[in-house]
Amino acid sequence: MHFSALWPYLGLPPEKVSFVYWASMLMGYVSDGAYYCRGGFHKFADSLVTGLKQAGGEIYFKSKVSKINVCDNRVQSVLLASGQVIQAETVISNADMLQTVHDMVGKEYFPKRYLSRLQRMQTSCSIFVVYIATDLDLVQAGAHHEAFYYHELNHEVNYNNALQGEVSWMSVTVPTLLDDGLAPKGEHLIVLTALANYDQAENWQQAKADYMKKMLDFADSKINNLKSHILFIEAGSPATMQRYTLNNKGAAYGWAMTPEQVGASRIANKAPIEGLYFAGHWTMPGGGVYGVSYSGVQTAQKVLGLTRQDELWALCASTDGEL
Ligand SMILES: Cc1cc2nc3c(=O)[nH]c(=O)nc-3n(C[C@H](O)[C@H](O)[C@H](O)COP(=O)(O)OP(=O)(O)OC[C@H]3O[C@@H](n4cnc5c(N)ncnc54)[C@H](O)[C@@H]3O)c2cc1C
């Protein structure tokens, strides 16, 4: 019961989530501990950018890829929405997989079996997030860095209620309790998170305010007086997640993390087109920051033809990052 209380981390309740993926996540916490990026999670992305630039890479921001051009079953180039064409023998996509296969490459380049397998895959649910700045003394209020609250003891019920649009569970995260540099003295940041079903609302722009209010009421019942100490509040709905990530229906973890869709059962890192690879939460091994980081390592090995991971690290060290 207590072990399974962290089920929202993988977006599925105990009855549905892959036990192996769940157990490896939990063992990570038990053996290595849980880590927090000082300065906020963006620091993690920043460090990847630094590494890529040090290795001679170039990053294009706000540059949508419209097409991945293929000829004779081999990747040729990438077309940006700006019209720029970038020649490439290897393309690694971490964009939404259906978008990559159907729109960027084109269904006609993939075997029928591959397409029908994609059709059968189930997408994970999305997330509704409320971002708050408050001048409430959260240390005195007894708040924790991260706490999970549930209406029901049965997690399947909480999950099903969440899919119906109820706020039946929620996590309350207070990053400033660990990292006080994130807010001015005497103020705190709070992030309220709940799983949400993209299809539950016809128009999230209209539904957003009501959903945010429900989340805030729930949080106020756990943190006394929160509502009267709000300096700033904003929310991100499943439509927001879709808009910023272009993941289908704001899917938070790519394909749902069921036993049939994780690890070796997820879509392989190498596509059936020469030079096309996948990284991220739509491919092996699975979703979440750890899973997608690992998929990046796996895919790098495949591109370089290295069977063992230590060969990759040795190569990185010997070339000073320049591959
Ligand atoms: C609100 C929220 C909270 C989460 N919290 C956690 C957590 O606490 N811990 C955890 O482990 N996981 C968490 N997850 C899940 C985790 O964030 C994802 O599994 C992970 O970030 C996926 O990484 P990715 O690289 O596969 O894809 P993404 O992070 O979705 O990145 C895909 C990128 O591709 C870009 N893109 C898409 N299409 C195109 C295109 N055509 N051209 C150019 N660029 C394109 C997008 O803009 C985006 O930047 C959370 C997810 C959400 C939504």
Side-chain angles (χ1 to χ4, degrees):
M1 170 73 207
H2 293 306
F3 274 145
S4 59
L6 292 179
W7 65 268
Y9 277 152
L10 295 183
L12 280 179
E15 214 169 76
K16 296 192 171 61
V17 75
S18 154
F19 174 74
V20 173
Y21 206 83
W22 163 256
S24 50
M25 180 191 81
L26 201 64
M27 280 316 294
Y29 291 138
V30 172
S31 62
D32 300 332
Y35 289 85
Y36 166 79
C37 293
R38 190 168 289 283
F41 199 69
H42 205 268
K43 292 283 176 189
F44 182 70
D46 291 345
S47 67
L48 294 178
V49 168
T50 305
L52 208 113
K53 283 186 176 163
Q54 274 171 1
E58 203 180 329
I59 297 182
Y60 289 55
F61 292 104
K62 297 193 174 171
S63 305
K64 190 172 180 196
V65 173
S66 305
K67 276 267 161 228
I68 297 170
N69 295 316
V70 171
C71 184
D72 293 336
N73 200 39
R74 180 163 258 298
V75 159
Q76 302 278 311
S77 60
V78 162
L79 169 69
L80 302 186
S82 64
Q84 185 181 353
V85 175
I86 300 171
Q87 301 299 327
E89 282 178 14
T90 304
V91 172
I92 303 170
S93 173
N94 72 330
D96 177 278
M97 193 169 279
L98 292 180
Q99 185 203 165
T100 305
V101 170
H102 292 180
D103 306 334
M104 293 189 204
V105 178
K107 284 184 190 177
E108 61 276 24
Y109 293 98
F110 288 87
K112 283 208 167 61
R113 273 174 66 123
Y114 195 85
L115 294 174
S116 48
R117 184 168 173 221
L118 287 187
Q119 216 57 50
R120 288 194 305 273
M121 298 291 285
Q122 286 171 6
T123 303
S124 61
C125 61
S126 189
I127 288 184
F128 195 101
V129 192
V130 181
Y131 306 93
I132 297 171
T134 176
D135 58 5
L136 189 65
D137 185 344
L138 291 179
V139 177
Q140 205 181 26
H144 303 278
H145 171 247
E146 184 144 276
F148 285 75
Y149 299 104
Y150 304 92
H151 277 324
E152 306 289 336
L153 284 175
N154 184 331
H155 293 305
E156 316 299 322
V157 174
N158 287 314
Y159 172 74
N160 288 327
N161 288 347
L163 293 189
Q164 300 301 319
E166 246 185 68
V167 180
S168 62
W169 75 272
M170 191 171 68
S171 69
V172 178
T173 312
V174 187
T176 37
L177 285 178
L178 280 189
D179 192 352
D180 58 10
L182 294 175
K185 205 169 164 22
E187 295 177 14
H188 281 284
L189 302 177
I190 303 179
V191 183
L192 312 177
T193 307
L195 293 175
N197 176 2
Y198 181 96
D199 291 325
Q200 212 283 319
E202 263 177 39
N203 181 335
W204 274 105
Q205 228 173 350
Q206 283 170 9
K208 191 166 146 175
D210 185 47
Y211 213 91
M212 183 168 88
K213 185 178 173 308
K214 284 198 266 186
M215 300 263 293
L216 186 58
D217 287 344
F218 193 170
D220 192 69
S221 72
K222 302 297 171 192
I223 303 175
N224 208 8
N225 237 357
L226 174 62
K227 282 207 283 195
S228 49
H229 283 269
I230 289 181
L231 304 172
F232 171 87
I233 185 161
E234 180 55 281
S237 75
T240 318
M241 304 306 152
Q242 176 169 265
R243 184 152 64 90
Y244 280 99
T245 66
L246 296 180
N247 283 314
N248 185 26
K249 298 190 175 187
Y253 310 93
W255 308 118
M257 310 282 275
T258 59
E260 300 79 22
Q261 298 193 159
V262 299
S265 306
R266 218 165 177 83
I267 304 291
N269 303 115
K270 189 175 180 334
I273 291 175
E274 282 307 309
L276 180 63
Y277 295 83
F278 301 113
H281 61 187
W282 298 96
T283 186
M284 290 177 187
V289 173
Y290 183 85
V292 306
S293 305
Y294 195 77
S295 86
V297 171
Q298 277 186 176
T299 304
Q301 278 178 246
K302 293 203 167 96
V303 170
L304 294 164
L306 304 174
T307 44
R308 292 201 344 249
Q309 203 185 108
D310 56 353
E311 292 174 318
L312 177 70
W313 302 130
L315 187 63
C316 290
S318 69
T319 55
D320 207 15
E322 287 187 40
L323 292 177

